[in-house]
């Protein structure tokens, strides 16, 4: 029988598709961590957190000495460079502005205190791994804020010097430092110190809770800064006293060729963690 074009064509048998297993549901994004409301504390918290900071430093001194060594070495190099160039007065804005960058050294110390608080082992590899891991979180953004404000403070400090002392004083001040302690020089020092204190107060308000909060919880930079200002606002007199204690101890540590930072910086770093825990306690279960 001949096959014509009008005859129906055979329907090919469909090839069954291989059985596919359903893909697992992706893990839901937990979102940012909850930020607790700031607690109200008293002035007795200041000596208590300092005692806790000293206790943590004595328990793990090697960590504190390592992190402080970077700042001591940097201060000694800066002092050597300015002395060799005959520009010792350049150290003034950096010494006044040192509290602006000191909190950044505390990240490793926060981790040490957090492990001591949780009764976890202090293993060098794990502690340093936590510090390195911060590069993928919000801490570098906080570091940029700190460094930018510090650089801006250095610019403002040199501008204040030029406004009060004149451009010619930039070359003559090295031969007669007494000019800084009389007349316009004294007014310039007072003005620069007041402006530097303003910068330090601004950074203190940002970092006193913001920096340890970024290490402790998954929150964004803006939320951490807002929470920090809220904690400071809720405890303004105590935070003012705490800031003055930090500034006084840092200046005292800088004077003996920066060597006092080997003790003061670790103790303040640990104490700052305990102050954060006082200001932002974990919410009660239920």
């Amino acid at each position: 029988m001949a096959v014509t074009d009008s005859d129906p064509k055979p329907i090919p048998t469909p090839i069954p598709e291989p059985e596919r297993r359903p893909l697992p549901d992706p893990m839901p994004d937990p979102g940012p961590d909850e930020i607790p409301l700031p607690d109200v504390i008293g002035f007795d918290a200041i000596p208590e957190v300092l005692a806790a900071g000293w206790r943590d430093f004595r328990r793990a001194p090697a960590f504190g000495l390592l992190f402080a060594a970077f700042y001591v070495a940097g201060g000694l190099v800066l002092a050597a460079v300015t002395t060799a160039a005959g520009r010792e007065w350049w150290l003034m804005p950096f010494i006044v502005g040192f509290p602006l960058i000191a909190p950044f050294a505390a990240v490793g110390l926060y981790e040490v205190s957090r492990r001591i608080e949780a009764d976890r082992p202090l293993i060098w590899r794990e502690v340093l791994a936590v510090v390195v891991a911060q590069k993928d979180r919000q801490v570098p953004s906080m570091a940029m804020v700190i460094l930018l404000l510090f650089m801006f403070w250095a610019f403002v400090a040199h501008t204040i010097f030029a406004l009060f002392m004149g451009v010619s004083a930039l070359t003559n001040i090295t031969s007669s430092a007494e000019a800084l302690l009389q007349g316009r020089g004294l007014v310039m020092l007072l003005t620069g110190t007041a402006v530097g204190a303003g910068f330090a107060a601004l950074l203190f308000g940002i970092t006193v809770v913001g920096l340890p909060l970024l290490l402790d919880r998954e929150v964004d930079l803006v939320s951490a800064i807002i929470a920090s200002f809220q904690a400071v606002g809720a405890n303004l007199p105590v935070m003012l006293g705490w800031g003055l204690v930090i500034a006084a101890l840092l200046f005292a540590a800088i004077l003996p060729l920066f060597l006092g930072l080997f003790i003061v910086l670790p103790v303040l770093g640990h104490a700052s963690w305990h102050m954060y825990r006082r200001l932002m306690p974990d919410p009660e279960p239920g």
Side-chain angles (χ1 to χ4, degrees):
M1 181 176 180
V3 179
T4 62
D5 294 340
S6 60
D7 293 336
K9 296 181 179 180
I11 300 175
T13 302
I15 301 175
E17 296 184 359
E19 183 180 357
R20 297 180 180 179
R21 295 181 179 180
L23 297 176
D25 294 334
M27 292 294 293
D29 184 7
D33 290 343
E34 179 184 0
I35 301 178
L37 295 175
D39 204 354
V40 178
I41 61 176
F43 281 97
D44 57 337
I46 295 178
E48 290 175 359
V49 299
L50 285 174
W54 173 248
R55 184 173 60 249
D56 287 355
F57 175 59
R58 290 184 60 188
R59 178 164 178 181
F63 290 96
L65 294 175
L66 173 66
F67 294 126
F70 290 99
Y71 281 81
V72 175
L76 292 176
V77 169
L78 182 62
V81 170
T82 55
T83 301
R87 296 291 188 271
E88 292 87 349
W89 62 271
W90 277 51
L91 277 175
M92 295 180 185
F94 290 101
I95 290 176
V96 173
F98 186 84
L100 303 183
I101 60 174
F104 188 58
V107 174
L109 300 171
Y110 293 160
E111 177 61 19
V112 172
S113 288
R114 183 168 67 168
R115 286 173 172 266
I116 293 176
E117 183 181 86
D119 199 22
R120 297 175 59 188
L122 295 174
I123 302 174
W124 276 98
R125 181 181 65 258
E126 295 181 358
V127 173
L128 295 179
V130 171
V131 176
V132 173
Q134 300 310 307
K135 64 182 177 60
D136 300 322
R137 301 180 69 208
Q138 296 289 307
V139 171
S141 300
M142 179 69 81
M144 288 301 299
V145 173
I146 295 173
L147 292 178
L148 286 174
L149 278 174
F150 181 75
M151 293 171 63
F152 184 60
W153 153 245
F155 168 77
V156 171
H158 284 78
T159 302
I160 292 174
F161 186 96
L163 288 175
F164 280 92
M165 306 302 293
V167 179
S168 60
L170 296 176
T171 57
N172 298 331
I173 196 68
T174 56
S175 60
S176 179
E178 296 178 357
L180 296 175
L181 302 177
Q182 57 186 358
R184 290 182 300 173
L186 187 59
V187 177
M188 182 271 296
L189 288 178
L190 295 175
T191 303
T193 301
V195 175
F199 275 93
L202 175 61
L203 256 296
F204 176 79
I206 292 174
T207 60
V208 64
V209 165
L211 194 56
L213 183 61
L214 290 177
L215 176 68
D216 191 35
R217 298 171 182 265
E218 290 294 340
V219 297
D220 62 274
L221 177 65
V222 175
S223 298
I225 292 175
I226 293 174
S228 189
F229 278 120
Q230 289 176 340
V232 172
N235 300 274
L236 193 56
V238 178
M239 288 295 97
L240 179 60
W242 178 231
L244 292 175
V245 168
I246 292 176
L249 290 176
L250 285 176
F251 287 142
I254 290 172
L255 293 180
L257 295 176
F258 298 89
L259 299 179
L261 294 176
F262 275 118
I263 303 298
V264 171
L265 200 60
V267 171
L268 287 179
H270 292 305
S272 296
W273 170 262
H274 291 285
M275 181 61 77
Y276 156 73
R277 297 290 289 153
R278 292 290 188 92
L279 292 169
M280 310 290 285
D282 291 331
E284 292 293 336

